[in-house]
């Protein structure tokens, strides 16, 4: 399994002509996984050797603007480059509770219609992830509203035994989120490669004693 990381933006809060807001891409076997999507991410993608159309998963660490303001625009640009395909696998988006509402409202208010499916998997934070006065409970948002076009997705709760959230698991790796302390609830992501059985040349070991 080969992994390649490309930093698209390493700025903090204030983008500049030479340094974009937070975003990086992990390329894995032809797929691109995007971590955070600050303002200008799609422009940085165009300057890179990466193909935005290969993005299959997006991970958002927290809901500060310099980590999410580029997301609605990026999705719209991807849609302009996409042919409608009902069989296309959805783009999976992972992030804190409230991300689904932010995306749905941004796209709805701007009359944006995506030509590809996407799902939003929300991580439910705990109150000790930020100062008490900064914690906002988004669990009741949109509860009484009909969201006929709202994206589907899971609501993920902390696994007390693992002290983390299981996001992705396949034959090669496991992706988990863990809690970080910040001014708002934040998450870090860990990609753990599964053990791979090695090959043992028994005869050569015997020959070497």
């Amino acid at each position: 399994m080969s992994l390649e990381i490309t930093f698209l933006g390493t700025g903090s809060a204030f983008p500049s002509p030479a340094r974009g807001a937070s975003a990086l891409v992990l390329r894995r076997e032809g797929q691109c996984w995007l971590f955070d999507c600050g303002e200008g991410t799609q422009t940085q993608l165009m300057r890179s050797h990466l193909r935005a159309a290969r993005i299959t998963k997006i991970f958002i660490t927290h809901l500060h603007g310099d980590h999410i303001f580029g997301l609605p625009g990026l999705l719209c640009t991807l849609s302009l480059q996409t042919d409608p395909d009902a069989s296309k696998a959805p783009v999976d988006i992972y992030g804190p509770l409230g991300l689904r509402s932010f995306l749905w409202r941004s796209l709805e208010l701007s009359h944006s219609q995506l030509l590809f499916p996407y799902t939003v998997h929300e991580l439910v934070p705990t109150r000790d992830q930020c100062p008490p006065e900064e914690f906002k409970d988004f669990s009741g948002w949109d509860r009484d509203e009909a969201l006929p076009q709202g994206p589907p997705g899971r609501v993920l709760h902390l696994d007390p035994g693992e002290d983390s959230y299981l996001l992705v698991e396949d034959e090669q790796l496991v992706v988990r989120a863990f809690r970080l302390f910040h001014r708002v609830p934040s998450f870090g992501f860990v990609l753990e490669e599964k053990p791979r059985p090695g090959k043992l040349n028994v005869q050569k070991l015997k020959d070497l004693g």
Side-chain angles (χ1 to χ4, degrees), residues 160-198:
E162 297 288 340
D163 198 28
S164 64
Y165 304 73
L166 178 61
L167 307 185
V168 180
E169 183 172 12
D170 60 27
E171 296 178 352
Q172 293 182 317
L173 57 74
V174 176
V175 182
R176 293 183 180 273
F178 61 92
R179 295 173 297 164
L180 299 176
F181 186 86
H182 189 36
R183 197 162 59 83
V184 298
S186 302
F187 297 91
F189 302 102
V190 171
L191 285 73
E192 182 179 0
E193 187 175 4
K194 290 185 175 180
R196 291 180 293 172

Side-chain angles (χ1 to χ4, degrees), residues 65-205:
D66 55 329
H67 292 257
I68 63 170
F69 281 165
L71 187 53
L74 174 65
L75 294 178
C76 290
T77 296
L78 291 178
S79 181
L80 292 174
Q81 300 172 349
T82 300
D83 294 325
D85 183 0
S87 64
K88 181 179 174 62
V91 174
D92 287 305
I93 304 174
Y94 301 85
L97 195 68
L99 181 60
R100 178 183 288 111
S101 182
F102 166 75
L103 269 181
W104 181 78
R105 290 180 184 279
S106 297
L107 297 173
E108 183 75 6
L109 290 170
S110 60
H111 294 258
S112 302
Q113 296 182 346
L114 303 185
L115 298 180
F116 61 88
Y118 73 102
T119 57
V120 179
H121 309 290
E122 294 185 302
L123 285 65
V124 179
T126 58
R127 290 184 175 270
D128 57 353
Q129 285 181 250
C130 67
E133 65 274 11
E134 295 286 353
F135 186 87
K136 294 183 180 180
D137 184 2
F138 296 129
S139 59
W141 279 35
D142 305 322
R143 180 176 294 169
D144 298 326
E145 295 184 31
L147 298 177
Q149 297 176 354
R154 297 175 292 157
V155 176
L156 304 171
H157 293 270
L158 179 72
D159 180 345
E162 297 288 340
D163 198 28
S164 64
Y165 304 73
L166 178 61
L167 307 185
V168 180
E169 183 172 12
D170 60 27
E171 296 178 352
Q172 293 182 317
L173 57 74
V174 176
V175 182
R176 293 183 180 273
F178 61 92
R179 295 173 297 164
L180 299 176
F181 186 86
H182 189 36
R183 197 162 59 83
V184 298
S186 302
F187 297 91
F189 302 102
V190 171
L191 285 73
E192 182 179 0
E193 187 175 4
K194 290 185 175 180
R196 291 180 293 172
K199 295 181 179 179
L200 188 64
N201 188 331
V202 178
Q203 185 58 48
K204 188 169 185 178
L205 287 176

